[in-house]
Amino acid sequence: MKKVKYFFGLVLTVVFLSTGVLYSQNTMISRKEKRNLEHLRKKKNNKLDRSLSREYYTQLLQKKYFVFTADFAMNDEGYTFVTDPEINFLSVIGKKLTFQFGRNGRIGLNGVGGVTLRGQVVDYKFSPGTKKRGMIVTSDAQLNGPIMPPRFVLYVSDDGTAQLNLTLGNGETISYSGRVYSPQNSGIYQGTSLF
C-alpha cells in the first residue's frame, strides 16, 4: 500500500511539473524583431527627451531668462565667420538686454575685441511655433547710448540650437547660429560697455 501511495504521489508530481513546462510559451525573438523593438524603444525615448527639452527652452524664452551664444556669423553677402561663443552672445534677463560681439586676439573698447551694448527689450513677443518650425522670439531693443535701435528675431529648435537674425538701424542684417542656454550655464565672458 505504501508503494502505491509513493508511486501515485510521484506520478502526480511529474504530471504537475511537466504540464507547466509543456504548456509554457518559450518563444525566441529573432534579430530583426529585437532590432525593431529596440528602434521603437529609442524612438519613444527620443520623443520624450525632445518633449522635455522643448518644455525647458519654452520656459527660458517665456520668462525672458536666456543667453544665445553664437558659433557662426553670416553677413548680407553670405560670408560666414566662425565666432567664439564665450564672447559673442545675446543675453536677455527680464527686461535687461546685452549684445556682445567680438573677435579673439584683439583688444577693443569693451576689453574682449569688439563691442558690448546694453539696453532693454521692447515689444518682446514669444511664439511657441510648431514642432517642425520651432519657437520664435521677436523683439526690438532700446540700447543705452546714441545707437539706432536694432531688432532681433531668434528661432529656437527643440534641442536648443538657434539662429539669431539681427537687423541693425541702417537696415543691414547679420545672422548668427548657435545655442540657447540658461544664464548660469552659458559660460560667457561679458566685457565692459561704453554706455
Side-chain angles (χ1 to χ4, degrees):
M1 194 66 169
K2 284 186 177 183
K3 288 183 180 182
V4 172
K5 284 183 183 179
Y6 287 127
F7 179 72
F8 188 65
L10 183 62
V11 169
L12 282 175
T13 304
V14 169
V15 169
F16 178 72
L17 291 176
S18 67
T19 56
V21 172
L22 291 174
Y23 292 109
S24 69
Q25 293 182 356
N26 189 10
T27 59
M28 296 293 288
I29 298 176
S30 70
R31 286 186 179 166
K32 185 175 181 180
E33 290 172 324
K34 283 183 184 178
R35 266 195 316 248
N36 286 342
L37 289 173
E38 184 66 20
H39 177 70
L40 289 174
R41 185 186 65 77
K42 284 182 180 179
K43 189 174 181 180
K44 183 179 177 184
N45 286 343
N46 284 343
K47 190 173 184 181
L48 178 64
D49 290 346
R50 202 159 177 90
S51 174
L52 292 174
S53 178
R54 181 178 179 83
E55 185 178 320
Y56 172 73
Y57 290 110
T58 298
Q59 287 180 4
L60 288 179
L61 298 173
Q62 281 180 333
K63 292 180 180 179
K64 300 180 193 174
Y65 189 73
F66 67 90
V67 174
F68 165 79
T69 61
D71 296 317
F72 298 97
M74 185 171 60
N75 63 10
D76 282 339
E77 288 105 31
Y79 293 110
T80 303
F81 309 95
V82 177
T83 58
D84 184 357
E86 291 180 352
I87 61 173
N88 291 280
F89 64 86
L90 161 70
S91 170
V92 175
I93 300 174
K95 291 226 175 236
K96 294 181 182 179
L97 169 86
T98 304
F99 283 115
Q100 179 173 289
F101 302 104
R103 295 181 68 189
N104 280 336
R106 297 192 177 180
I107 296 176
L109 298 175
N110 64 348
V112 293
V115 63
T116 302
L117 303 170
R118 291 190 177 92
Q120 294 182 350
V121 291
V122 179
D123 197 25
Y124 183 94
K125 293 178 184 168
F126 169 75
S127 170
T130 62
K131 290 183 180 182
K132 290 183 180 179
R133 200 169 129 214
M135 300 161 271
I136 303 170
V137 170
T138 58
S139 180
D140 292 325
Q142 182 179 2
L143 299 176
N144 302 337
I147 300 168
M148 294 187 72
R151 177 171 184 74
F152 70 89
V153 179
L154 181 66
Y155 300 95
V156 182
S157 63
D158 292 346
D159 62 354
T161 56
Q163 180 175 346
L164 173 69
N165 293 336
L166 180 63
T167 305
L168 303 176
N170 62 2
E172 184 181 354
T173 301
I174 304 172
S175 297
Y176 297 91
S177 296
R179 291 193 58 80
V180 171
Y181 296 97
S182 65
Q184 64 269 18
N185 295 330
S186 63
I188 59 172
Y189 177 77
Q190 190 167 342
T192 57
S193 176
L194 295 176
F195 306 105

